[in-house]
Amino acid sequence: MKKTIITAMMIFSMLSTILTGCGQKKMEQGFKETKDKVESDMKETKDEVVSDFKEYIEKIDQVAVVRDAKDFDFSKSLMERLEESKKGEVKKITVDDSKIDYNKSGTYPAEVTMELEKDKKTRIQKRKIDVKVISKEEAKKQADLGYLVFGTEAMPENK
């Protein structure tokens, strides 16, 4: 008799576990929905990323540097290009240009970091941009196309 009761209880518990699945499916679905939401919140298109910086430097998404520019300081050059109304907010701009070969024409990635101070709060923003390294002959053409061109005496204030 005891064996029959124990066997019946085991069969019942196994069937209930199989039928309910211990809520595993609902948990997995909940995790997937949370993961999808987090991933969608984290995604930023290049245009969205660049638009944040455009309020500080208008042509930040179209930057070109003349090949073999002497004494070129990318961070200083960007600080000089700040919009007048935003100069008080930007404490410092640094550019990680370690992947740029200034001696060879091409398009290279760079990371721009802005240290902003607004309402007595300091905030750091980092964005990746593409930088074209061009010849002196191409500088005028790129400027006419709307690029912010650095590194040539003929266009130090290219606006």
Side-chain angles (χ1 to χ4, degrees):
M1 176 92 168
K2 279 185 174 179
K3 288 183 180 179
T4 310
I5 294 174
I6 292 174
T7 305
M9 285 176 43
M10 287 178 62
I11 291 172
F12 177 75
S13 64
M14 286 174 41
L15 284 174
S16 64
T17 303
I18 290 171
L19 293 174
T20 61
C22 297
Q24 183 70 22
K25 201 171 204 176
K26 285 185 179 179
M27 284 177 45
E28 286 175 3
Q29 185 178 6
F31 286 136
K32 184 180 182 320
E33 287 173 3
T34 303
K35 181 183 171 195
D36 291 345
K37 182 171 178 4
V38 168
E39 286 176 353
S40 70
D41 289 346
M42 290 173 57
K43 285 182 183 174
E44 289 183 322
T45 64
K46 185 177 177 184
D47 292 338
E48 290 171 337
V49 168
V50 171
S51 69
D52 289 346
F53 272 35
K54 277 188 172 185
E55 68 181 86
Y56 297 97
I57 302 169
E58 184 182 350
K59 297 178 180 180
I60 192 71
D61 60 334
Q62 296 176 311
V63 177
V65 178
V66 174
R67 187 176 59 224
D68 300 321
K70 294 182 182 181
D71 301 325
F72 176 65
D73 184 346
F74 208 154
S75 301
K76 182 181 174 188
S77 297
L78 287 179
M79 281 293 286
E80 291 171 356
R81 298 297 303 164
L82 284 171
E83 294 290 324
E84 285 297 321
S85 62
K86 299 292 184 177
K87 283 187 178 181
E89 291 179 31
V90 181
K91 290 175 64 175
K92 181 178 174 182
I93 295 177
T94 54
V95 179
D96 177 5
D97 60 352
S98 59
K99 295 180 182 176
I100 299 175
D101 184 352
Y102 290 107
N103 300 315
K104 185 178 176 186
S105 294
T107 302
Y108 301 93
E111 184 173 79
V112 179
T113 303
M114 280 192 199
E115 187 176 328
L116 306 168
E117 188 172 310
K118 191 172 185 179
D119 301 327
K120 296 184 181 182
K121 292 182 182 179
T122 301
R123 175 173 64 130
I124 306 290
Q125 281 189 315
K126 292 185 179 187
R127 299 293 183 248
K128 294 187 187 306
I129 63 170
D130 289 329
V131 178
K132 281 187 173 185
V133 176
I134 58 174
S135 66
K136 283 185 181 181
E137 295 77 33
E138 280 187 74
K140 174 92 171 100
K141 179 181 170 186
Q142 292 298 321
D144 290 342
L145 290 172
Y147 274 76
L148 184 58
V149 180
F150 294 115
T152 177
E153 290 149 16
M155 291 180 242
E157 291 291 321
N158 179 18
K159 292 188 179 186

